[in-house]
Amino acid sequence: MSLHKLRLAAAVPVTISTFSSRLFLKPFPNTLTLGLFSRRLQPRKPLLVRAFSASAAVQDIPANQTTVSSVARRPQWKASIDFKWIRDNKEAVEINIKNRNSNADLDAVLELYENMVNLQKEVERLREERNNVAKKMKGKLEPSERDRLVEEGKYLKESLVSLEEDLVKLKDELQHVAQSIPNMTHPDVPVGGEDSSAIRKEVGCPREFNFPIKDHLQLGKDLDLIDFDSAAEVSGSKFFYLKNEAVLLEMALLNWTLSQVMKKGYTPLTTPEIVRSSIVEKCGFQPRGDNTQVYSIDGTDQCLIGTAEIPLGGIHMDSILLESALPLKYIAFSHCFRTEAGAAGAATKGLYRVHQFSKAEMFVICRPEDSEFFHHELIQIEEDLFTSLGLHFKTLDMATADLGAPAYRKFDIEAWMPGFGRFGEISSASNCTDYQSRRLGIRYRPSEPLQTGPNKGKANLPATKFVHTLNATACAVPRMMVCLLENYQQEDGSVVIPEPLRPFMGGIELIKPKLK
Amino acid sequence: MSLHKLRLAAAVPVTISTFSSRLFLKPFPNTLTLGLFSRRLQPRKPLLVRAFSASAAVQDIPATQTSESSARPQWKASIDFKWIRDNKEAVEINIKNRNSNANLDAVLELYENMLNLQKEVERLREERNNVAKKMKGKLESSERERLVEEGKNLKESLVTLEEDLVKLKDELQHVAQSIPNMTHPDVPVGGEDSSAIRKEVGCPREFNFPIKDHLQLGKDLDLIDFDSAAEVSGSKFFYLKNEAVLLEMALLNWTLSQVMKKGYTPLTTPEIVRSSIVEKCGFQPRGDNTQVYSIDGTDQCLIGTAEIPLGGIHMDSILLESALPLKYIAFSHCFRTEAGAAGAATKGLYRVHQFSKAEMFVICRPEDSEFFHHELIQIEEDLFTSLGLHFKTLDMATADLGAPAYRKFDIEAWMPGFGRFGEISSASNCTDYQSRRLGIRYRPSEPLQTGPKKGKANLPATKFVHTLNATACAVPRMMVCLLENYQQEDGSVVIPEPLRPFMGGIELIKPKLK
């Protein structure tokens, strides 16, 4: 199994600790650093932006919108981005940014990185001078000479403090700008926009109806299954109540999905649905700004999850896993909340695009060399599930411009929705390689020492590496309901329940119109 | 089935529409109304306040906290002020018994002021009409000028007074909304200790080995992860893992299937709602001590219980009597800040920020609400008996009732890890407290036996429905009971028989092999 290049960042620890040592040194022009920060006055480039996978198409926030009031705000966390690798692979990164239609500013990153490296060198030079002065003062000295050294030491100290502050700011700035660089891309991914996505597989064919069909909204109303009207009063548009058999169908879908996926060795979970916004960011979503998909809680730094991927990514945050514990395979059930800001123009009819829904989500944490294998396992599980339910669908290898920043490769499944008369996305499976783990700080320690010289590793422990993370929809309930209701409707207005779900809804085989 | 008195408000429609007619009248001292509003300067009395039923004990917000004093109410409760005035003593005693800080004197004073001002407005309108009438005839030009002047003055005064009247009505709403529902005559008067035991089932299991609490069992059996959730979300959040996930699903599926057999319609609900709905159900969505999470930049909040979207589903509607009762069982996630619960029993799953719950809700005719209250508590008792829990049902004393409840039955189950009983459910009859706020009425099928002058087009007048709510299954507290009561000496936990078919036949949660 070959592993593709995608390292975006290395574990270069930020040596903040060295800043605390305080000695003396020689005057230094404070103005030197001014040029480094003139960039601050330009409109800020957008940070990482990503639409939720089963949601609106990947969109970039226009550069002039993200003047996110947070310009001066210090980042609360740092991604372990491998700037050296980016610099050494400048052309590949540039092409990748272009292919993915990203507005990441590589030149700015490289310039800031060079400035940062230079400033770091300058800081080190001053430290050395300061040390020299300190060393000189240890000997016996004329009082005038001692005074001169004291004075020089004082100047050096002041300059160093100032430069070190500048260095911290420059590193923050670099983080801000560099976080918008997308993950690298699997070499097999088709380059281009949505139309370029390659069909990986196609299952079934559209059902032919010999009667006038209804869409799921009409079926939901006629069968007393879905109530959008009351929800509009109580909550707002794009909220809904499920009623009667629809409630049982949701439970059956989730129970059946869980039982199927657990058979493949996935551990079931339920997750918090309120999380700190930093976790949302670390997973590659943008919790703030006008166009955000994320609901924030008033008066806290918490938000509602748009997908269980977020609390799943967070569960092993800032930890070093044993290689023997990998892979970790989870299937989580959660409710998901999305503002759907800016989705006014998109297909918004009925259950297709809603503010709150139930979803079962798969998540894998594995060694880098295994992520491609698990990506195929995930898409296979999805295809098996939807095949069992008798859906007509196709699997797409999504083209570069359709990938969110964290994805190295993404397979979407689109199923036939007769009411819409077209295919609609029902699931998405992404290999995020180390994009998320470098932000979430999820590493593992290989069991076997690396085949490197004896000078590497401390206490004979092999160095830690970043894990790869993958996520995939197992069952996004409302979209499944669109498919099931519309595809399994009968001439008499009833809807047949697919065979695998029946044992999970008390043996119900048919949803019939209620007697009033 | 006897129906107890509890009418808090009648459908006296607020005659805002009359304000729009604009004619002329006579000068009127503007200063008259000043006295009416001096109250505005005093610390505002708290509005309706209610802790979520399966949550912290009923608490009142200190009077000094409700800051948004000058905000116009976005909605009005149909409070029957006339009834309150005519039953002043009963209302006063009720407020005292329920340990409420509602200010009845202020309500009555504002109501009198409002009536007086309304009379004054009507008097001025009449004068204005008289002036207008006079001007229709042939008049000397000096007389006409005098009348024009007088009409102008009257008009100006009326505009001012009408504005004052609107403000006074708003003020009255604010202050009156804190008056709690009346109380069922059988409810014991007093604090928590006065609550009467209605029923007791089973006895505490005796263990012949050192027991673990659910937190320890959850850790040992790899079922609950609080530590990761604390990093990702904050304290009092959790992940369920492995069999705990299946147990949650089994509990909900089994509960739904049992309650549906009693004719309850299953629902899932929105978990983000407009904050006005939260208020109308009798919860306080704002303020320092609120239990409610608000969404940033909107007027929406997260629900603390499915009771809220259930109350809202028929808001502002007139139901057919033949459609009643409406009986629902809803599954939702619930979100609570648990502000101020630091001192309470906060260990493990007992008090958490997010949990799954199946909630029953009934909308019925006033004469049926007592019957359905007993049906609800019976369903709860049957469910918990089937699961083999040791519990008691309490008729909660007056001081323990939230503002909307006319009567409340709590069930407390034995939790061996705590070594005490803990609340696992709550069933409240809210009579017309919520329906008067949510605007849920019904039209009786048969005309009332009143004279022919009532009712328009022979339709009987609408009446407010009664609403009831009751916990069917609050998952985390059920887990506390099940894990702690069904633990075995070897560290495993037995699954109660009724749940097994709903979790793939699993009979036992065993320690995992590492």
Side-chain angles (χ1 to χ4, degrees), chain A residues 55-87:
Chain A
S55 165
V58 178
Q59 47 175 302
D60 278 317
I61 292 184
N64 56 8
Q65 274 196 13
T66 34
T67 322
V68 190
S69 53
S70 55
V71 177
R73 202 171 44 95
R74 285 218 58 196
Q76 296 186 309
W77 55 275
K78 292 209 170 175
S80 298
I81 297 170
D82 188 346
F83 294 107
K84 209 151 151 285
W85 188 90
I86 292 175
R87 189 190 57 191

mmCIF file of all heavy atoms in Angstrom, chain A residues 55-87:
data_model
loop_
_atom_site.group_PDB
_atom_site.id
_atom_site.type_symbol
_atom_site.label_atom_id
_atom_site.label_comp_id
_atom_site.label_asym_id
_atom_site.label_seq_id
_atom_site.Cartn_x
_atom_site.Cartn_y
_atom_site.Cartn_z
ATOM 1 N N SER A 55 -23.494 18.814 2.914
ATOM 2 C CA SER A 55 -24.219 20.079 2.907
ATOM 3 C C SER A 55 -23.948 20.854 1.626
ATOM 4 O O SER A 55 -23.769 20.293 0.562
ATOM 5 C CB SER A 55 -23.774 20.859 4.138
ATOM 6 O OG SER A 55 -24.146 22.183 4.040
ATOM 7 N N ALA A 56 -23.933 22.172 1.736
ATOM 8 C CA ALA A 56 -23.689 23.016 0.570
ATOM 9 C C ALA A 56 -22.352 22.635 -0.061
ATOM 10 O O ALA A 56 -21.487 22.082 0.580
ATOM 11 C CB ALA A 56 -23.663 24.482 0.984
ATOM 12 N N ALA A 57 -22.212 22.935 -1.312
ATOM 13 C CA ALA A 57 -20.966 22.640 -1.996
ATOM 14 C C ALA A 57 -19.828 23.404 -1.333
ATOM 15 O O ALA A 57 -20.042 24.398 -0.656
ATOM 16 C CB ALA A 57 -21.075 23.025 -3.462
ATOM 17 N N VAL A 58 -18.624 22.914 -1.548
ATOM 18 C CA VAL A 58 -17.465 23.583 -0.969
ATOM 19 C C VAL A 58 -17.434 25.028 -1.431
ATOM 20 O O VAL A 58 -17.571 25.313 -2.607
ATOM 21 C CB VAL A 58 -16.182 22.872 -1.427
ATOM 22 C CG1 VAL A 58 -14.977 23.592 -0.876
ATOM 23 C CG2 VAL A 58 -16.218 21.429 -0.973
ATOM 24 N N GLN A 59 -17.310 25.930 -0.514
ATOM 25 C CA GLN A 59 -17.287 27.328 -0.902
ATOM 26 C C GLN A 59 -16.181 28.062 -0.167
ATOM 27 O O GLN A 59 -15.865 27.740 0.959
ATOM 28 C CB GLN A 59 -18.630 27.980 -0.568
ATOM 29 C CG GLN A 59 -19.113 27.647 0.840
ATOM 30 C CD GLN A 59 -20.378 28.402 1.177
ATOM 31 O OE1 GLN A 59 -20.406 29.606 1.144
ATOM 32 N NE2 GLN A 59 -21.427 27.696 1.502
ATOM 33 N N ASP A 60 -15.609 29.018 -0.857
ATOM 34 C CA ASP A 60 -14.605 29.840 -0.208
ATOM 35 C C ASP A 60 -15.233 31.168 0.151
ATOM 36 O O ASP A 60 -16.010 31.737 -0.611
ATOM 37 C CB ASP A 60 -13.412 30.064 -1.141
ATOM 38 C CG ASP A 60 -12.469 28.874 -1.081
ATOM 39 O OD1 ASP A 60 -12.222 28.394 0.047
ATOM 40 O OD2 ASP A 60 -12.003 28.440 -2.138
ATOM 41 N N ILE A 61 -14.902 31.669 1.307
ATOM 42 C CA ILE A 61 -15.381 32.985 1.685
ATOM 43 C C ILE A 61 -14.605 34.016 0.889
ATOM 44 O O ILE A 61 -13.384 33.938 0.811
ATOM 45 C CB ILE A 61 -15.175 33.219 3.194
ATOM 46 C CG1 ILE A 61 -16.099 32.286 3.971
ATOM 47 C CG2 ILE A 61 -15.411 34.662 3.565
ATOM 48 C CD1 ILE A 61 -16.038 32.508 5.455
ATOM 49 N N PRO A 62 -15.286 34.965 0.248
ATOM 50 C CA PRO A 62 -14.558 36.007 -0.483
ATOM 51 C C PRO A 62 -13.556 36.693 0.448
ATOM 52 O O PRO A 62 -13.858 36.918 1.626
ATOM 53 C CB PRO A 62 -15.655 36.979 -0.909
ATOM 54 C CG PRO A 62 -16.944 36.250 -0.753
ATOM 55 C CD PRO A 62 -16.723 35.145 0.214
ATOM 56 N N ALA A 63 -12.400 37.035 -0.115
ATOM 57 C CA ALA A 63 -11.319 37.524 0.719
ATOM 58 C C ALA A 63 -11.696 38.764 1.505
ATOM 59 O O ALA A 63 -11.226 38.972 2.614
ATOM 60 C CB ALA A 63 -10.091 37.796 -0.133
ATOM 61 N N ASN A 64 -12.589 39.574 0.935
ATOM 62 C CA ASN A 64 -12.889 40.826 1.636
ATOM 63 C C ASN A 64 -13.857 40.628 2.798
ATOM 64 O O ASN A 64 -14.118 41.543 3.555
ATOM 65 C CB ASN A 64 -13.418 41.885 0.665
ATOM 66 C CG ASN A 64 -14.639 41.386 -0.091
ATOM 67 O OD1 ASN A 64 -15.160 40.321 0.226
ATOM 68 N ND2 ASN A 64 -15.061 42.156 -1.072
ATOM 69 N N GLN A 65 -14.399 39.413 2.940
ATOM 70 C CA GLN A 65 -15.354 39.199 4.033
ATOM 71 C C GLN A 65 -14.705 38.811 5.340
ATOM 72 O O GLN A 65 -15.257 39.024 6.400
ATOM 73 C CB GLN A 65 -16.351 38.103 3.652
ATOM 74 C CG GLN A 65 -17.510 38.649 2.867
ATOM 75 C CD GLN A 65 -18.637 37.656 2.849
ATOM 76 O OE1 GLN A 65 -18.638 36.702 3.608
ATOM 77 N NE2 GLN A 65 -19.597 37.891 1.999
ATOM 78 N N THR A 66 -13.561 38.180 5.225
ATOM 79 C CA THR A 66 -12.955 37.644 6.431
ATOM 80 C C THR A 66 -12.072 38.645 7.110
ATOM 81 O O THR A 66 -11.050 38.292 7.649
ATOM 82 C CB THR A 66 -12.137 36.406 6.093
ATOM 83 O OG1 THR A 66 -11.583 36.608 4.822
ATOM 84 C CG2 THR A 66 -12.973 35.172 6.121
ATOM 85 N N THR A 67 -12.408 39.893 7.078
ATOM 86 C CA THR A 67 -11.663 40.850 7.857
ATOM 87 C C THR A 67 -12.051 40.561 9.301
ATOM 88 O O THR A 67 -11.942 41.405 10.167
ATOM 89 C CB THR A 67 -12.014 42.287 7.455
ATOM 90 O OG1 THR A 67 -12.179 42.308 6.053
ATOM 91 C CG2 THR A 67 -10.915 43.267 7.833
ATOM 92 N N VAL A 68 -12.488 39.283 9.470
ATOM 93 C CA VAL A 68 -12.908 38.756 10.772
ATOM 94 C C VAL A 68 -12.336 39.618 11.882
ATOM 95 O O VAL A 68 -11.149 39.604 12.123
ATOM 96 C CB VAL A 68 -12.387 37.316 10.968
ATOM 97 C CG1 VAL A 68 -13.035 36.709 12.214
ATOM 98 C CG2 VAL A 68 -12.626 36.477 9.750
ATOM 99 N N SER A 69 -13.208 40.292 12.554
ATOM 100 C CA SER A 69 -12.813 41.211 13.620
ATOM 101 C C SER A 69 -11.646 40.696 14.440
ATOM 102 O O SER A 69 -11.023 41.420 15.185
ATOM 103 C CB SER A 69 -14.003 41.441 14.538
ATOM 104 O OG SER A 69 -14.486 40.173 14.959
ATOM 105 N N SER A 70 -11.329 39.413 14.242
ATOM 106 C CA SER A 70 -10.310 38.786 15.074
ATOM 107 C C SER A 70 -8.897 39.075 14.593
ATOM 108 O O SER A 70 -7.975 38.394 14.971
ATOM 109 C CB SER A 70 -10.527 37.284 15.072
ATOM 110 O OG SER A 70 -10.547 36.827 13.739
ATOM 111 N N VAL A 71 -8.721 40.076 13.724
ATOM 112 C CA VAL A 71 -7.398 40.313 13.147
ATOM 113 C C VAL A 71 -6.325 40.376 14.220
ATOM 114 O O VAL A 71 -5.287 39.738 14.120
ATOM 115 C CB VAL A 71 -7.388 41.638 12.345
ATOM 116 C CG1 VAL A 71 -5.990 41.907 11.819
ATOM 117 C CG2 VAL A 71 -8.377 41.561 11.204
ATOM 118 N N ALA A 72 -6.618 41.098 15.273
ATOM 119 C CA ALA A 72 -5.592 41.310 16.284
ATOM 120 C C ALA A 72 -5.595 40.209 17.335
ATOM 121 O O ALA A 72 -4.724 40.148 18.180
ATOM 122 C CB ALA A 72 -5.826 42.652 16.963
ATOM 123 N N ARG A 73 -6.595 39.335 17.230
ATOM 124 C CA ARG A 73 -6.758 38.284 18.226
ATOM 125 C C ARG A 73 -5.631 37.251 18.112
ATOM 126 O O ARG A 73 -5.271 36.817 17.032
ATOM 127 C CB ARG A 73 -8.099 37.600 17.989
ATOM 128 C CG ARG A 73 -8.686 36.882 19.155
ATOM 129 C CD ARG A 73 -10.105 36.472 18.798
ATOM 130 N NE ARG A 73 -10.174 35.922 17.450
ATOM 131 C CZ ARG A 73 -10.117 34.618 17.185
ATOM 132 N NH1 ARG A 73 -10.022 33.746 18.154
ATOM 133 N NH2 ARG A 73 -10.181 34.186 15.935
ATOM 134 N N ARG A 74 -5.101 36.816 19.227
ATOM 135 C CA ARG A 74 -4.081 35.772 19.196
ATOM 136 C C ARG A 74 -4.744 34.439 18.914
ATOM 137 O O ARG A 74 -5.793 34.142 19.449
ATOM 138 C CB ARG A 74 -3.376 35.690 20.557
ATOM 139 C CG ARG A 74 -2.393 36.810 20.820
ATOM 140 C CD ARG A 74 -1.183 36.256 21.554
ATOM 141 N NE ARG A 74 -0.536 35.206 20.803
ATOM 142 C CZ ARG A 74 0.348 34.355 21.327
ATOM 143 N NH1 ARG A 74 0.641 34.410 22.596
ATOM 144 N NH2 ARG A 74 0.908 33.424 20.584
ATOM 145 N N PRO A 75 -4.120 33.604 18.071
ATOM 146 C CA PRO A 75 -4.706 32.283 17.854
ATOM 147 C C PRO A 75 -4.678 31.500 19.175
ATOM 148 O O PRO A 75 -3.702 31.570 19.912
ATOM 149 C CB PRO A 75 -3.796 31.644 16.809
ATOM 150 C CG PRO A 75 -2.529 32.419 16.845
ATOM 151 C CD PRO A 75 -2.882 33.796 17.320
ATOM 152 N N GLN A 76 -5.774 30.766 19.440
ATOM 153 C CA GLN A 76 -5.849 30.048 20.707
ATOM 154 C C GLN A 76 -5.114 28.714 20.638
ATOM 155 O O GLN A 76 -4.929 28.051 21.636
ATOM 156 C CB GLN A 76 -7.308 29.783 21.073
ATOM 157 C CG GLN A 76 -8.087 31.050 21.322
ATOM 158 C CD GLN A 76 -9.466 30.728 21.825
ATOM 159 O OE1 GLN A 76 -10.191 29.940 21.254
ATOM 160 N NE2 GLN A 76 -9.844 31.340 22.940
ATOM 161 N N TRP A 77 -4.776 28.323 19.427
ATOM 162 C CA TRP A 77 -4.096 27.045 19.260
ATOM 163 C C TRP A 77 -3.266 27.142 18.000
ATOM 164 O O TRP A 77 -3.458 28.027 17.185
ATOM 165 C CB TRP A 77 -5.115 25.910 19.144
ATOM 166 C CG TRP A 77 -6.113 26.147 18.048
ATOM 167 C CD1 TRP A 77 -7.261 26.871 18.131
ATOM 168 C CD2 TRP A 77 -6.014 25.724 16.682
ATOM 169 N NE1 TRP A 77 -7.883 26.908 16.907
ATOM 170 C CE2 TRP A 77 -7.155 26.208 16.010
ATOM 171 C CE3 TRP A 77 -5.081 24.957 15.973
ATOM 172 C CZ2 TRP A 77 -7.374 25.967 14.662
ATOM 173 C CZ3 TRP A 77 -5.303 24.713 14.630
ATOM 174 C CH2 TRP A 77 -6.446 25.221 13.982
ATOM 175 N N LYS A 78 -2.302 26.220 17.848
ATOM 176 C CA LYS A 78 -1.455 26.242 16.659
ATOM 177 C C LYS A 78 -1.477 24.905 15.935
ATOM 178 O O LYS A 78 -1.397 23.854 16.570
ATOM 179 C CB LYS A 78 -0.019 26.575 17.056
ATOM 180 C CG LYS A 78 0.108 28.005 17.546
ATOM 181 C CD LYS A 78 1.482 28.570 17.281
ATOM 182 C CE LYS A 78 1.444 30.062 17.578
ATOM 183 N NZ LYS A 78 2.765 30.684 17.470
ATOM 184 N N ALA A 79 -1.592 24.985 14.631
ATOM 185 C CA ALA A 79 -1.454 23.784 13.813
ATOM 186 C C ALA A 79 0.034 23.517 13.648
ATOM 187 O O ALA A 79 0.820 24.438 13.485
ATOM 188 C CB ALA A 79 -2.116 24.003 12.460
ATOM 189 N N SER A 80 0.408 22.248 13.704
ATOM 190 C CA SER A 80 1.823 21.890 13.480
ATOM 191 C C SER A 80 2.082 21.823 11.984
ATOM 192 O O SER A 80 2.204 20.744 11.407
ATOM 193 C CB SER A 80 2.127 20.536 14.116
ATOM 194 O OG SER A 80 1.942 20.578 15.488
ATOM 195 N N ILE A 81 2.146 22.976 11.373
ATOM 196 C CA ILE A 81 2.337 23.018 9.921
ATOM 197 C C ILE A 81 3.823 22.914 9.591
ATOM 198 O O ILE A 81 4.654 23.544 10.236
ATOM 199 C CB ILE A 81 1.742 24.325 9.337
ATOM 200 C CG1 ILE A 81 0.231 24.355 9.576
ATOM 201 C CG2 ILE A 81 2.079 24.481 7.869
ATOM 202 C CD1 ILE A 81 -0.426 25.689 9.266
ATOM 203 N N ASP A 82 4.140 22.102 8.588
ATOM 204 C CA ASP A 82 5.538 21.882 8.212
ATOM 205 C C ASP A 82 5.948 22.916 7.175
ATOM 206 O O ASP A 82 5.901 22.668 5.971
ATOM 207 C CB ASP A 82 5.697 20.461 7.661
ATOM 208 C CG ASP A 82 7.159 20.106 7.445
ATOM 209 O OD1 ASP A 82 8.012 21.028 7.470
ATOM 210 O OD2 ASP A 82 7.453 18.922 7.256
ATOM 211 N N PHE A 83 6.356 24.083 7.663
ATOM 212 C CA PHE A 83 6.691 25.178 6.746
ATOM 213 C C PHE A 83 7.882 24.847 5.881
ATOM 214 O O PHE A 83 7.965 25.243 4.731
ATOM 215 C CB PHE A 83 6.939 26.463 7.538
ATOM 216 C CG PHE A 83 5.715 26.973 8.223
ATOM 217 C CD1 PHE A 83 5.566 26.863 9.593
ATOM 218 C CD2 PHE A 83 4.679 27.539 7.487
ATOM 219 C CE1 PHE A 83 4.427 27.323 10.222
ATOM 220 C CE2 PHE A 83 3.535 28.001 8.106
ATOM 221 C CZ PHE A 83 3.407 27.890 9.479
ATOM 222 N N LYS A 84 8.807 24.119 6.461
ATOM 223 C CA LYS A 84 10.001 23.757 5.715
ATOM 224 C C LYS A 84 9.609 22.912 4.502
ATOM 225 O O LYS A 84 10.082 23.129 3.390
ATOM 226 C CB LYS A 84 10.940 22.964 6.635
ATOM 227 C CG LYS A 84 12.389 23.098 6.299
ATOM 228 C CD LYS A 84 13.262 22.940 7.530
ATOM 229 C CE LYS A 84 14.625 22.386 7.178
ATOM 230 N NZ LYS A 84 14.599 20.925 6.868
ATOM 231 N N TRP A 85 8.706 21.969 4.724
ATOM 232 C CA TRP A 85 8.255 21.098 3.631
ATOM 233 C C TRP A 85 7.531 21.931 2.572
ATOM 234 O O TRP A 85 7.728 21.742 1.383
ATOM 235 C CB TRP A 85 7.327 20.012 4.184
ATOM 236 C CG TRP A 85 6.984 18.971 3.176
ATOM 237 C CD1 TRP A 85 7.672 17.817 2.929
ATOM 238 C CD2 TRP A 85 5.901 18.998 2.226
ATOM 239 N NE1 TRP A 85 7.083 17.123 1.914
ATOM 240 C CE2 TRP A 85 5.994 17.828 1.451
ATOM 241 C CE3 TRP A 85 4.869 19.899 1.964
ATOM 242 C CZ2 TRP A 85 5.094 17.524 0.438
ATOM 243 C CZ3 TRP A 85 3.970 19.613 0.951
ATOM 244 C CH2 TRP A 85 4.077 18.430 0.192
ATOM 245 N N ILE A 86 6.732 22.875 3.034
ATOM 246 C CA ILE A 86 6.010 23.735 2.083
ATOM 247 C C ILE A 86 7.001 24.533 1.239
ATOM 248 O O ILE A 86 6.877 24.625 0.016
ATOM 249 C CB ILE A 86 5.052 24.685 2.835
ATOM 250 C CG1 ILE A 86 3.902 23.890 3.478
ATOM 251 C CG2 ILE A 86 4.501 25.768 1.908
ATOM 252 C CD1 ILE A 86 2.983 24.715 4.346
ATOM 253 N N ARG A 87 8.031 25.067 1.912
ATOM 254 C CA ARG A 87 9.024 25.867 1.179
ATOM 255 C C ARG A 87 9.771 24.994 0.172
ATOM 256 O O ARG A 87 9.987 25.375 -0.966
ATOM 257 C CB ARG A 87 10.007 26.497 2.172
ATOM 258 C CG ARG A 87 10.930 27.506 1.542
ATOM 259 C CD ARG A 87 12.035 27.904 2.513
ATOM 260 N NE ARG A 87 12.777 26.733 2.960
ATOM 261 C CZ ARG A 87 13.647 26.757 3.969
ATOM 262 N NH1 ARG A 87 13.851 27.871 4.650
ATOM 263 N NH2 ARG A 87 14.296 25.660 4.305
#
